Amino acid sequence: MSKPGVSNQNSATRFDQAVDRHTTSSQKWEKYRDTDILPMWVADTDFMAPPAVIEALQARVDHGIFGYTDTPAELNRLVIERMQTLYQWSISEEWLVWLPGLVCGLNLACRSVGVSQDEVATAKPVYPPFMSAPRLSDRRLITVPMVEQQQRWLIDFDALEQSITDTSSLLLFCNPHNPGGTVYRQEELQRLADICLKHGLTVCSDEIHCDLIMEPSLKHTPLGSLNTEIAAKTITLMAPSKTFNIAGLGCSFAIIPDPQLRKQFQQIRKGIVPDVNLLGYTATMAAYKEGGDWHQQQLDYLKGNRDYLTKEINQIPGLRLNPVEATYLAWIDVSAAKLENPAHFFEQAGVGMSPGRDFGDERFMRLNFGCPRSMLIEAVDRIRRAMLSHLPSG
């Protein structure tokens, strides 16, 4: 028998269920409080976490003592096994640095590599903290474009190499890509690694969406797993938060093989970045240990959402959506609609998306389709009605 609040529903029913988040101080839902705007912006889903996670949290709460907590040894073992099983990547326990969030990892990387006023490169459009972290760390941001190739968004490798100077020390890399949904192939990763090794760049690789690949033919490859040379120059950031919808519990980790780089990273965090809280550890351990079936069911559901959204958006005049290989985030090209303020336009239509300008390209909007199908259908209907009213007929 399941504990209170733990669902034994079948997969379709579980993800179709609309859970009321209005009374939970949800960042996602509070933004449009007391309005008729569907919140489809920030990257958390509207799905209940796996039953195993909820059960583990309930058992830990029942224990009743919430003191300072070390990283469970079993959790380290689970991550090591996970890297080996999923990616054939042999990592050591001492390489792991646990963090209360991935964004702080980006900022720590910027502070750990190079010196004041060094250049940090990234490719845009990209998740906004990639562009703010260098500035907050007294570094100079250098951006190169993402380019569209065969309906996929990739770093412009030539532009990247041309942008590197004697004061370039770090590349912030996103794979799978947020917001473009790209899963980088091994040969593409090798090209990136070759450029970085040639020019002495360290890489901070954000791989938080690595478990959200919807195409069975595609496989995530951690950049640091390619060879020992690039591993020694890479900080890999991962987390269970997007995969299992536990972002609010604040548990992430860095994999840093090089001892000196890891020492610098850990030194910078001292006295500033706190340890992971005990419920974050509890949820992560349960997710990695027992969340596999739920994870696959979620991928199947998200793939259905993705396929529906792609078909419908591409039938609406003025909008275009490339295939989304990974993530539950759709990067919608609205440039043909010639909207003066796209974010405001779609909010007026009743759909709250993330404006592309925040990611470095105002021609786009990012829509989170990690929600019950009924909510997605309603959002598409609102978008369609608004666009048909906006665009001249004939």
Side-chain angles (χ1 to χ4, degrees):
M1 180 179 293
S2 65
K3 296 186 179 183
V6 179
S7 171
N8 277 328
Q9 303 153 299
N10 64 47
S11 59
T13 305
R14 174 184 294 125
F15 297 107
D16 277 330
Q17 180 183 1
V19 180
D20 186 0
R21 302 179 66 185
H22 286 95
T23 60
T24 62
S25 299
S26 161
Q27 186 179 100
K28 182 179 186 178
W29 285 82
E30 282 293 307
K31 181 174 181 178
Y32 297 113
R33 185 178 183 177
D34 298 327
T35 71
D36 184 28
I37 299 175
L38 298 173
M40 309 187 81
W41 61 291
V42 69
D44 74 30
T45 71
D46 288 310
F47 306 138
M48 289 182 68
V53 170
I54 299 171
E55 290 171 356
L57 289 170
Q58 287 174 334
R60 188 64 184 82
V61 168
D62 287 345
H63 180 266
I65 298 177
F66 311 111
Y68 299 117
T69 304
D70 291 331
T71 306
E74 183 182 4
L75 180 54
N76 284 332
R77 288 195 296 271
L78 284 169
V79 171
I80 291 168
E81 291 169 5
R82 190 176 184 84
M83 295 303 111
Q84 183 64 54
T85 301
L86 295 180
Y87 315 121
Q88 295 73 57
W89 188 18
S90 297
I91 70 168
S92 300
E93 184 170 349
E94 62 266 23
W95 297 3
L96 291 170
V97 180
W98 289 90
L99 301 166
L102 190 135
V103 171
C104 69
L106 293 171
N107 284 270
L108 287 171
C110 289
R111 290 163 167 81
S112 303
V113 177
V115 297
S116 173
Q117 290 302 299
D118 267 6
E119 293 174 346
V120 176
T122 196
K124 70 176 187 179
V126 73
Y127 180 49
F130 277 60
M131 294 179 284
S132 62
R135 298 185 181 113
L136 293 171
S137 306
D138 195 29
R139 303 299 194 263
R140 289 181 293 156
L141 174 67
I142 303 297
T143 61
V144 297
M146 300 286 290
V147 292
E148 188 177 2
Q149 294 183 3
Q150 298 180 324
Q151 296 188 303
R152 296 174 65 236
W153 293 100
L154 298 172
I155 289 178
D156 186 329
F157 293 108
D158 293 332
L160 172 63
E161 188 154 24
Q162 292 165 12
S163 74
I164 298 170
T165 72
D166 291 342
T167 59
S168 302
S169 58
L170 179 68
L171 171 70
L172 299 181
F173 177 55
C174 192
N175 175 37
H177 184 252
N178 173 13
T182 299
V183 177
Y184 279 85
R185 313 306 195 248
Q186 183 151 340
E187 61 272 18
E188 295 162 350
L189 294 171
Q190 189 61 60
R191 183 174 181 188
L192 181 69
D194 290 344
I195 291 171
C196 293
L197 290 171
K198 176 182 176 182
H199 296 281
L201 284 186
T202 299
V203 187
C204 180
S205 185
D206 169 3
E207 303 184 8
I208 196 171
H209 290 101
C210 62
D211 297 321
L212 291 166
I213 296 175
M214 284 171 285
E215 292 301 325
S217 61
L218 298 180
K219 182 176 183 291
H220 177 72
T221 301
L223 181 69
S225 72
L226 291 180
N227 53 58
T228 55
E229 290 77 20
I230 194 61
K233 300 288 288 183
T234 302
I235 299 168
T236 302
L237 301 177
M238 291 183 177
S241 51
K242 305 300 181 187
T243 309
F244 300 100
N245 201 27
I246 53 174
L249 292 172
C251 186
S252 304
F253 57 92
I255 303 173
I256 312 176
D258 183 75
Q260 184 58 38
L261 182 56
R262 187 168 64 249
K263 180 180 178 181
Q264 291 165 203
F265 189 92
Q266 291 173 317
Q267 186 67 34
I268 290 292
R269 72 170 290 178
K270 283 185 177 178
I272 300 172
V273 178
D275 294 330
V276 175
N277 75 84
L278 64 92
L279 294 182
Y281 282 139
T282 300
T284 299
M285 193 151 54
Y288 283 164
K289 195 174 182 179
E290 303 178 68
D293 289 344
W294 181 95
H295 174 218
Q296 186 56 56
Q297 292 164 5
Q298 179 188 225
L299 285 178
D300 293 341
Y301 192 87
L302 287 172
K303 189 174 187 294
N305 276 3
R306 189 247 352 229
D307 293 347
Y308 167 79
L309 181 66
T310 304
K311 177 184 176 184
E312 296 299 321
I313 288 295
N314 286 318
Q315 291 178 351
I316 299 174
L319 304 182
R320 183 173 68 95
L321 174 59
N322 283 339
V324 181
E325 296 179 338
T327 80
Y328 45 77
L329 306 167
W331 189 233
I332 302 173
D333 185 345
V334 301
S335 58
K338 296 180 169 39
L339 301 170
E340 185 175 338
N341 185 334
H344 179 70
F345 174 84
F346 289 110
E347 285 175 346
Q348 291 295 105
V351 182
M353 294 186 272
S354 298
R357 65 173 178 268
D358 292 349
F359 300 80
D361 195 333
E362 60 187 10
R363 300 171 301 168
F364 289 79
M365 295 292 292
R366 193 189 76 170
L367 183 146
N368 175 353
F369 57 85
C371 62
R373 187 77 43 81
S374 58
M375 179 175 168
L376 184 62
I377 291 170
E378 175 62 25
V380 168
D381 286 345
R382 293 181 182 193
I383 290 170
R384 181 187 294 108
R385 289 195 299 269
M387 291 301 300
L388 293 177
S389 298
H390 165 73
L391 292 173
S393 59

